[in-house]
Amino acid sequence: IEEVLVCAINQVLCEKRDFLAVLQGNVEAVLLQKNDQALADIDERLEELQIQLVKLASSNVDYGAVGDEIYRLREEKQRLLIESANRDEQKNRIDDMGAFLREQRVDIAQYDEQLVRRLVEKVTVFGDRFSIEFKSGIMVDVKD
């Protein structure tokens, strides 16, 4: 497997222009998924609902539906915040892979555990090949 990983990394290095273009596309796709407006809309709606909740509570009217909506919006906001954090992490991985590719001048000659941990997400073993998924989202198949 070590030889396969060295081969996959070198394959990425040899075709670095192609892979850098893929990485740039991945970065753009991640950035297009911004949900800042959705978060702002939720915050605005939460503020409106909280004002409505206070009015309903002070007039002794059932405010259960408003409370349920507030709870649902808070859960949605939490989900969007988690998605945003995951996108930031993914963007960092893509940037890290791009920086490595731009800095690397020669093929690697031997297995480097630290490098593999930094670049490789997972290795899938098939009967006739290995599929290496890099943390940046790039996939490379290596025949055995």
Side-chain angles (χ1 to χ4, degrees):
I1 289 182
E2 290 178 358
E3 290 175 18
V4 167
L5 290 168
V6 168
C7 180
I9 291 170
N10 284 333
Q11 191 174 341
V12 170
L13 292 176
C14 289
E15 300 170 9
K16 88 168 83 173
R17 261 184 248 121
D18 295 337
F19 285 112
L20 284 171
V22 169
L23 286 175
Q24 184 61 38
N26 289 349
V27 168
E28 290 170 7
V30 166
L31 292 177
L32 286 176
Q33 295 175 3
K34 288 271 187 195
N35 53 16
D36 294 338
Q37 185 59 48
L39 285 169
D41 292 345
I42 288 173
D43 284 337
E44 183 179 323
R45 180 69 179 141
L46 279 171
E47 188 176 323
E48 292 169 3
L49 287 171
Q50 288 168 349
I51 292 169
Q52 186 179 356
L53 182 67
V54 169
K55 287 178 184 176
L56 290 173
S58 63
S59 64
N60 293 327
V61 177
D62 182 26
Y63 51 84
V66 174
D68 291 344
E69 179 71 3
I70 289 173
Y71 182 73
R72 186 192 67 73
L73 285 171
R74 284 183 180 163
E75 285 183 341
E76 177 69 8
K77 181 178 179 178
Q78 184 63 31
R79 184 187 65 76
L80 290 173
L81 289 170
I82 290 170
E83 283 179 10
S84 181
N86 289 341
R87 268 196 314 278
D88 290 345
E89 180 182 332
Q90 183 181 13
K91 183 184 176 305
N92 288 339
R93 283 194 227 159
I94 291 169
D95 289 344
D96 189 40
M97 179 76 168
F100 168 76
L101 286 174
R102 282 186 289 280
E103 293 168 6
Q104 195 67 26
R105 299 291 176 227
V106 295
D107 291 353
I108 60 172
Q110 63 186 12
Y111 179 80
D112 181 338
E113 180 74 23
Q114 215 172 16
L115 180 64
V116 169
R117 289 188 181 276
R118 179 178 172 197
L119 298 178
V120 176
E121 181 69 30
K122 72 178 178 179
V123 177
T124 305
V125 180
F126 297 99
D128 63 337
R129 65 183 166 84
F130 296 85
S131 183
I132 295 83
E133 180 181 344
F134 289 86
K135 291 183 178 182
S136 63
I138 292 174
M139 297 284 292
V140 173
D141 286 335
V142 177
K143 303 258 185 206
D144 54 322

